[in-house]
Amino acid sequence: MASISASTGTPAAQARPILWWGTLGAGFLALQLYILTAWILSDDFKPVAPGPDALSPIGTITMWGVAITFVGAAIGGLAWIGWTLVRERALSTTQILMVGCWTCLWQDATINLLRPVALYNTHYPNMGSWAEHIPFWFSPHGVLNAQPLTFQSSLYLVMIPTWVLTAYGVMKLARRLWPRLVAPQLFLIAMAFITVAQTGAEVAMVRGEIFAYGGAIHALSVFPGTRWQFPVYGAFLWSIGTVALGALLFWRDQAGRTAVEQGIERLDLGRGASNGLRCLAMAGAANLAILAYYLPFMFISLYSDPWPTDFPSYFTNGICGAGTGYACPDPALPIPSHLVPPAPL
């Protein structure tokens, strides 16, 4: 058992950082399991058809590329974590980051919580969406904005941690080049890099027809008013959370522990319990960081300009427009709700 003096309190009191973060992470994990279970057991768990429009050759190549690379990355990532656990070793910081980011999967649909914004390509294998099982869901036809299963297979498990590690690497490089830089300066450099890189990556994915953005403020977007538009403020918001998690990796103690793991050394835990608590602590931090992207994005999107009119059927999916009973978002129109019955258009 951990030894303590009368002046330092109990081991649990000294371990409060990781216990608080672990409790927060357990709450987010429970929420994700509730949402996904409710979705799987509901009538919403069924494929959404792409409609009559055929996928372009570029879209087809991208779809197969995603199936191979993303599913392969997911299998590789899970195998790496599983092999470490089988060998009864402590998970690395990167591995607990992967698990923590995976618990953010439920958040993916929240960008459309108040109104439709981002649209997934339903030519991808899908089983609808868990959107309307998220508490306080407001937007109509959320289930029709289907989650692409091959894309989601490693988006949160591998790809988001890759962005975090990139931010971490940028801060390390900046500190090496300019040793006198202080934390805010390192943050800004990493955020600028991630914003530019994320803009390029998202534009490429939009062009590859993985997804599209219906709701965007044209003055703050590239290719505004077209089906290829991308709101650059989304990349900036994305940089906030990824750089915050990158900072966790950058500023670690002498034992290599992040801020959310502080205090675990004062608990008498076995290897398995230690791995689990560290993953939950990182889950708490990761969910807060990713919410820093989704929450402001959904509110900013209330002021987005009218949708482009040239989206193919596999993006609109009957979410809004003619025949759906709900007009597509327009600043001149009221914000529709799933609580309001559809009306003829």
Side-chain angles (χ1 to χ4, degrees), residues 63-136:
M63 184 170 67
W64 280 104
V66 165
I68 294 170
T69 58
F70 277 58
V71 173
I75 293 172
L78 290 173
W80 181 36
I81 294 172
W83 180 244
T84 302
L85 295 176
V86 167
R87 299 180 71 184
E88 298 184 347
R89 293 185 175 181
L91 294 176
S92 68
T93 303
T94 298
Q95 289 172 317
I96 68 167
L97 175 67
M98 292 168 65
V99 176
C101 288
W102 173 80
T103 68
C104 302
L105 175 64
W106 69 274
Q107 293 190 37
D108 198 77
T110 59
I111 193 173
N112 300 313
L113 188 146
L114 297 179
R115 69 191 313 175
V117 176
L119 310 169
Y120 277 122
N121 186 337
T122 48
H123 275 291
Y124 282 68
N126 73 83
M127 291 300 291
S129 172
W130 57 80
E132 295 186 17
H133 298 277
I134 297 174
F136 310 111

Side-chain angles (χ1 to χ4, degrees), residues 140-141 144 316-328 341-345:
H141 290 165
L144 297 179
T316 55
N317 304 322
I319 295 171
C320 63
T324 68
Y326 297 100
C328 290
L345 292 179

Side-chain angles (χ1 to χ4, degrees), residues 84-302:
T84 302
L85 295 176
V86 167
R87 299 180 71 184
E88 298 184 347
R89 293 185 175 181
L91 294 176
S92 68
T93 303
T94 298
Q95 289 172 317
I96 68 167
L97 175 67
M98 292 168 65
V99 176
C101 288
W102 173 80
T103 68
C104 302
L105 175 64
W106 69 274
Q107 293 190 37
D108 198 77
T110 59
I111 193 173
N112 300 313
L113 188 146
L114 297 179
R115 69 191 313 175
V117 176
L119 310 169
Y120 277 122
N121 186 337
T122 48
H123 275 291
Y124 282 68
N126 73 83
M127 291 300 291
S129 172
W130 57 80
E132 295 186 17
H133 298 277
I134 297 174
F136 310 111
W137 186 268
F138 187 82
S139 181
H141 290 165
V143 68
L144 297 179
N145 197 352
Q147 298 286 336
L149 299 180
T150 52
F151 183 66
Q152 293 293 8
S153 64
S154 68
L155 178 60
Y156 286 81
L157 180 71
V158 178
M159 302 308 169
I160 291 179
T162 299
W163 282 109
V164 174
L165 292 170
T166 300
Y168 165 67
V170 169
M171 287 190 283
K172 281 188 65 176
L173 178 61
R175 173 60 65 82
R176 186 178 304 146
L177 294 175
W178 304 289
R180 295 185 179 182
L181 291 179
V182 295
Q185 293 169 318
L186 292 173
F187 264 78
L188 290 175
I189 290 171
M191 287 178 62
F193 182 90
I194 294 297
T195 298
V196 173
Q198 179 70 9
T199 297
E202 293 246 13
V203 168
M205 288 187 282
V206 167
R207 287 286 181 174
E209 296 194 286
I210 299 173
F211 50 74
Y213 285 91
I217 298 174
H218 292 171
L220 300 175
S221 303
V222 293
F223 308 113
T226 72
R227 59 177 287 196
W228 314 113
Q229 65 185 3
F230 170 69
V232 177
Y233 50 86
F236 171 75
L237 293 173
W238 183 250
S239 74
I240 297 173
T242 51
V243 172
L245 290 175
L248 276 181
L249 276 59
F250 187 78
W251 281 284
R252 284 182 270 184
D253 65 16
Q254 293 182 344
R257 288 183 291 264
T258 64
V260 300
E261 300 170 83
Q262 298 300 311
I264 194 170
E265 72 280 0
R266 299 184 180 276
L267 298 175
D268 186 17
L269 300 176
R271 184 59 51 79
S274 177
N275 280 332
L277 184 55
R278 291 172 63 224
C279 287
L280 288 175
M282 187 60 74
N287 272 273
L288 290 184
I290 303 304
L291 278 173
Y293 166 71
Y294 284 118
L295 283 177
F297 205 144
M298 72 173 73
F299 284 106
I300 291 171
S301 296
L302 294 176

Side-chain angles (χ1 to χ4, degrees), residues 305-336:
D305 290 301
W307 277 32
T309 57
D310 57 346
F311 282 127
S313 62
Y314 47 85
F315 280 130
T316 55
N317 304 322
I319 295 171
C320 63
T324 68
Y326 297 100
C328 290
D330 188 307
L333 299 174
I335 298 174

